Amino acid sequence: MPGYPPAALLLEDSMKTALRKKLLRDMLFARRFEEQCYQDYQVRKIGGFLHLYPGQEACAHGVMAAARPGEDYVITGYRDHVHALVCGVPAKEVMAELYGKATGSSGGFGGSMHIFDASKHFMGGYALVGGPFPLAAGLAKALKMQGRDEIAICFLGDAANNQGTFHETLNMASVWELPVLFICENNLYGIGTSIERSTAELDQYKRVAAYRIPAAQADGQDIEVVHEAAQIAVNHVREKGTPYFLELKTYRFRGHSMSDGGAYRSKEEVEEWRKKDPLEILLARMIEDGEITREEYDAWDEEILSEIEDEIVPFAENSPDPDPADLTRYVLVEDDPYVHGGPSKGGA
Amino acid sequence: MPVMNIIQAVNSALDGALAADEDVFVFGEDVGRFGGVFRATDGLQAKHGENRVFDTPLSEAGIIGTAIGMAIYGLKPVPEIQFSDFIYPAFDQIVNEMAKFRYRSGGQYPCGVTVRTPFGGGIRGGHYHSQSPEAYFAHTAGLKVVVPSDPYTAKGLLLTAIDDPDPVIFLEPKRIYRAARAEVPEEPYRLPFAAAVDREGEHVSIITYGAVLHEAREAADLLAENDISAEIIDVRSLVPLDEETILASVRKTGRVVIVHEAARTCGYGAELAALIAEKALMHLEAPILRVTGYDTPFPYTLEQQYLPDALKIFEACETTVDF
């Protein structure tokens, strides 16, 4: 069973400067986008529940750099904004969805935890943990039946692996030889409960062995390690047409959601992981290799912040709310005569 | 007497039950060390120990299933399902195992599990943090379904539920977890699984339960300004149902508006309407009206349009009075 990809492979096959630059800029954009969400939530422009991605950027970006964003079918959990962005869902539409506006990716019907974009084959974020596993298998089954060469990619966290659907799905994916890639973003916590206190096997990739699915574990903070491991994984799924499981060891810098004070993690632990910031790791390496200067990076940052402040946020703010008359839309096919409930008017 | 919100009242009930009876166990996702995502179990693990108050993996079917095992052995488990929207992986365990244990063992095994779970919308939680699933459980023979409406009923009904030898689905109205405040005795006390007349009135009976009881009160105030006297019935226990309190009110007013957040079709209000039609038809002066959620998934942005509010209840009461 493969573990971390061999370092030699990484050195011999390091990414081209252009790809490194793209990944670094995309991760920076994702970081700033999420920080904007944080601010907008504080002033109640975004309501409900909000789960942010900082710290884990290398996972979604590194994996999708090895896949075909917009073509491969991607499904994930509730920490989903960045996965949507990586698949090509326009940032304006993601932000408008968080604002609950009619111009959002789901017309304001979904919200933060439920981004969808059929045109980008982004098959959704899901608030219910463990729900997406079998859906990913179903997507892969459909792709296989139709003879397509796209694959299904399922990004979920470690705590989801304690749901029954994890085991049901792995078994089916293996027995039916489905082209599905499972990415486990192991950030060590399910809300406020650490993996040590909830899960018998800490190495998630080892749990997959019983289903005869190849599995590996990699550092989820170094995007080049993620990319390398993901290339092996994606190639396996696409070429062999059978499942693969990749565990990425990562960490969320913020709480589980905005209502999480974070008292269950020690300051020392958080500080230790903050030293493994995926942006800083790649930036330092690129500076060392003479591919970028700190000034160029800061200039990107300015551009990104301007784009968010001048275009993305105003788009969301100035967009209309969903029409209250649409309250009963999208339940069934448009002209269905289904009774839509609500206050009854009484008999004649 | 201390003033508590519903979270504090639930915490106080669990604290009292754990202290009084070593067979009581409290567990669920983030319930132990973290103290619960809504803080309902805050401090209980530190006080009663890790054996009595403990964390579970994110495994709802496993949580309820192990609670059943503990209960048929003779313990009194009080599992928490973090949001009632998350209960469905455990639906099989609840409907097929928990509800049927006494029956299919010919009375040998009572299954005294109390499942606590926050329910209802109004916090912009969207589709999966807002649902009201009470009708599924009320429809399942072998379960009791109880819904408090404020801190006082939360504590008293929860302690009755934990004592009850049969399984209870205890649905906590999370929208008013902190907003509803009331005087609550520190000592344990028990309220019967029965309805209560929340406010006496003459012209129309508003029959409701859970968070929307508070909208019903607002509506009753508005109605009073229009010389309509509304009686409010807090159902509290959907199963068993206190028919007599409800029917007595209907006989008095002759007019009925049923209010709940859940969708209308096959909602619990349909059962109430059928009961009234069967047993008090000749006392009715007007059709029974319902003010409910819509037959849609729980909406994200449009939740205020979806939810019953004081104005909708007011209008329905006016309609029935003017009939």
Side-chain angles (χ1 to χ4, degrees):
Chain A
M1 204 62 59
Y4 283 89
L9 185 62
L10 195 65
L11 291 173
E12 286 166 16
D13 193 22
S14 67
M15 283 182 276
K16 299 278 184 292
T17 300
L19 178 58
R20 279 183 163 186
K21 281 192 168 177
K22 175 179 161 37
L23 291 177
L24 184 59
R25 196 180 191 287
D26 286 353
M27 285 199 294
L28 181 58
F29 182 89
R31 175 72 55 91
R32 296 298 183 229
F33 184 91
E34 293 288 76
E35 286 170 350
Q36 184 68 44
C37 295
Y38 179 90
Q39 289 176 24
D40 291 352
Y41 190 90
Q42 300 286 15
V43 294
R44 303 176 79 97
K45 290 179 182 170
I46 298 172
F49 301 134
L50 186 70
H51 309 80
L52 301 175
Y53 203 55
Q56 301 184 207
E57 291 93 342
C59 299
H61 289 97
V63 169
M64 291 311 292
R68 298 181 194 157
E71 294 179 19
D72 289 330
Y73 288 73
V74 171
I75 193 165
T76 187
Y78 45 79
R79 202 179 303 282
D80 61 343
H81 314 161
V82 174
H83 299 81
L85 296 176
V86 175
C87 289
V89 184
K92 282 180 181 178
E93 293 182 19
V94 176
M95 189 61 86
E97 189 62 33
L98 301 184
Y99 273 61
K101 295 299 183 78
T103 54
S105 48
S106 299
F109 277 64
S112 164
M113 296 181 279
H114 319 117
I115 310 286
F116 284 84
D117 191 336
S119 73
K120 303 297 181 191
H121 293 183
F122 182 64
M123 309 311 283
Y126 294 74
L128 296 177
V129 178
F133 282 125
L135 278 56
L139 289 164
K141 180 83 174 161
L143 290 166
K144 180 175 178 167
M145 303 292 278
Q146 299 284 319
R148 307 287 306 183
D149 80 337
E150 295 96 344
I151 63 172
I153 305 176
C154 178
F155 289 88
L156 284 173
D158 46 295
N161 300 345
N162 292 328
Q163 287 278 311
T165 49
F166 172 73
H167 300 278
E168 295 177 29
T169 304
L170 289 179
N171 187 51
M172 287 190 284
S174 184
V175 169
W176 294 344
E177 299 186 332
L178 301 181
V180 52
L181 170 57
F182 299 100
I183 302 292
C184 175
E185 297 187 41
N186 181 358
N187 67 15
L188 309 177
Y189 289 85
I191 307 188
T193 299
S194 71
I195 190 167
E196 290 87 356
R197 290 188 294 116
S198 69
T199 306
E201 173 55 69
L202 303 186
D203 289 323
Q204 298 305 295
Y205 79 100
K206 291 181 182 170
R207 303 176 73 181
V208 181
Y211 298 102
R212 298 178 178 273
I213 292 173
Q217 184 187 58
D219 174 5
Q221 300 309 95
D222 185 335
I223 193 166
E224 298 197 278
V225 173
V226 173
H227 183 237
E228 198 67 48
Q231 281 183 313
I232 295 167
V234 169
N235 289 343
H236 173 98
V237 175
R238 206 180 307 279
E239 284 163 20
K240 292 199 167 76
T242 57
Y244 192 97
F245 184 98
L246 175 61
E247 175 187 3
L248 301 171
K249 299 292 288 290
T250 187
Y251 202 77
R252 54 173 160 71
F253 291 163
R254 292 195 181 280
H256 162 74
S257 72
M258 295 296 287
S259 60
D260 172 4
Y264 52 88
R265 304 192 301 193
S266 72
K267 267 185 189 162
E268 293 73 27
E269 180 185 300
V270 177
E271 280 312 306
E272 209 48 44
W273 275 95
R274 277 189 178 274
K275 289 178 195 160
K276 297 181 229 174
D277 185 324
L279 278 70
E280 293 298 328
I281 290 172
L282 182 57
L283 174 62
R285 192 176 296 149
M286 288 176 69
I287 289 174
E288 193 178 312
D289 291 351
E291 293 171 320
I292 193 172
T293 63
R294 177 66 75 168
E295 289 70 31
E296 287 172 276
Y297 182 76
D298 290 342
W300 279 354
D301 206 3
E302 288 300 317
E303 285 170 23
I304 288 167
L305 290 171
S306 300
E307 186 186 348
I308 291 172
E309 286 167 22
D310 301 340
E311 295 172 37
I312 293 169
V313 169
F315 175 80
E317 281 192 326
N318 299 328
S319 289
D321 292 325
D323 185 347
D326 285 346
L327 177 61
T328 55
R329 277 185 85 182
Y330 308 125
V331 177
L332 292 171
V333 67
E334 203 69 355
D335 55 358
D336 196 276
Y338 182 58
V339 176
H340 289 303
S344 52
K345 302 296 179 205
Chain B
M1 204 181 295
V3 172
M4 297 186 191
N5 61 32
I6 295 179
I7 289 289
Q8 292 163 328
V10 166
N11 188 284
S12 171
L14 293 172
D15 187 25
L18 285 159
D21 187 344
E22 62 184 17
D23 287 346
V24 173
F25 292 84
V26 171
F27 53 96
E29 294 158 9
D30 298 297
V31 158
R33 189 150 160 191
F34 191 62
V37 293
F38 290 103
R39 320 308 301 159
T41 53
D42 195 23
L44 296 181
Q45 187 181 66
K47 184 166 174 186
H48 299 282
E50 293 192 5
N51 285 330
R52 304 283 305 288
V53 181
F54 54 92
D55 291 312
T56 67
L58 217 156
S59 309
E60 291 82 10
I63 293 167
I64 299 301
T66 51
I68 294 168
M70 292 166 75
I72 60 176
Y73 180 84
L75 304 180
K76 296 179 181 174
V78 189
E80 174 185 293
I81 297 295
Q82 199 166 74
F83 285 79
S84 68
D85 314 66
F86 303 176
I87 209 165
Y88 302 109
F91 200 65
D92 178 56
Q93 292 288 332
I94 293 171
V95 172
N96 281 329
E97 311 295 350
M98 194 163 91
K100 295 174 175 55
F101 240 101
R102 184 188 287 281
Y103 186 82
R104 68 195 169 99
S105 68
Q108 291 182 74
Y109 297 108
C111 191
V113 180
T114 302
V115 181
R116 286 183 46 245
T117 188
F119 86 117
I123 59 167
R124 292 200 73 178
H127 330 309
Y128 307 118
H129 293 76
S130 308
Q131 297 172 67
S132 295
E134 64 271 21
Y136 298 124
F137 300 114
H139 185 66
T140 301
L143 300 176
K144 294 182 178 178
V145 182
V146 175
V147 186
S149 55
D150 63 13
Y152 181 74
T153 53
K155 181 169 177 179
L157 292 169
L158 180 54
L159 285 169
T160 305
I162 293 169
D163 283 350
D164 197 285
D166 286 310
V168 179
I169 307 294
F170 193 82
L171 296 161
E172 299 171 1
K174 67 174 176 287
R175 173 157 55 90
I176 54 166
Y177 254 158
R178 292 177 189 282
R181 299 175 65 79
E183 287 194 337
V184 176
E186 274 191 86
E187 302 72 35
Y189 60 94
R190 283 150 180 86
L191 293 174
F193 287 166
V197 179
D198 184 74
R199 178 183 302 201
E200 291 197 7
E202 299 297 324
H203 302 134
V204 55
S205 300
I206 304 173
I207 305 175
T208 188
Y209 52 88
V212 282
L213 175 80
H214 300 267
E215 276 71 34
R217 287 177 181 167
E218 263 185 69
D221 291 341
L222 289 171
L223 289 161
E225 292 170 18
N226 291 269
D227 301 319
I228 297 171
S229 159
E231 178 151 296
I232 300 175
I233 304 297
D234 182 6
V235 180
R236 294 186 185 175
S237 173
L238 310 192
V239 181
L241 178 63
D242 174 5
E243 296 186 3
E244 198 38 50
T245 300
I246 290 165
L247 294 172
S249 180
V250 175
R251 288 187 206 110
K252 181 165 82 170
T253 65
R255 292 179 161 86
V256 178
V257 173
I258 298 165
V259 184
H260 58 63
E261 269 187 48
R264 189 169 81 195
T265 301
C266 292
Y268 191 74
E271 182 61 31
L272 292 171
L275 168 77
I276 294 162
E278 284 167 3
K279 298 195 175 173
L281 183 68
M282 300 315 286
H283 295 273
L284 288 176
E285 304 287 345
I288 300 165
L289 297 185
R290 285 175 286 169
V291 180
T292 66
Y294 287 73
D295 292 336
T296 73
F298 196 92
Y300 171 55
T301 314
L302 299 175
E303 70 176 342
Q304 294 310 324
Q305 280 81 8
Y306 176 94
L307 289 168
D309 60 20
L311 189 61
K312 288 179 192 171
I313 299 167
F314 173 85
E315 286 173 353
C317 290
E318 268 202 325
T319 301
T320 185
V321 168
D322 291 345
F323 180 79

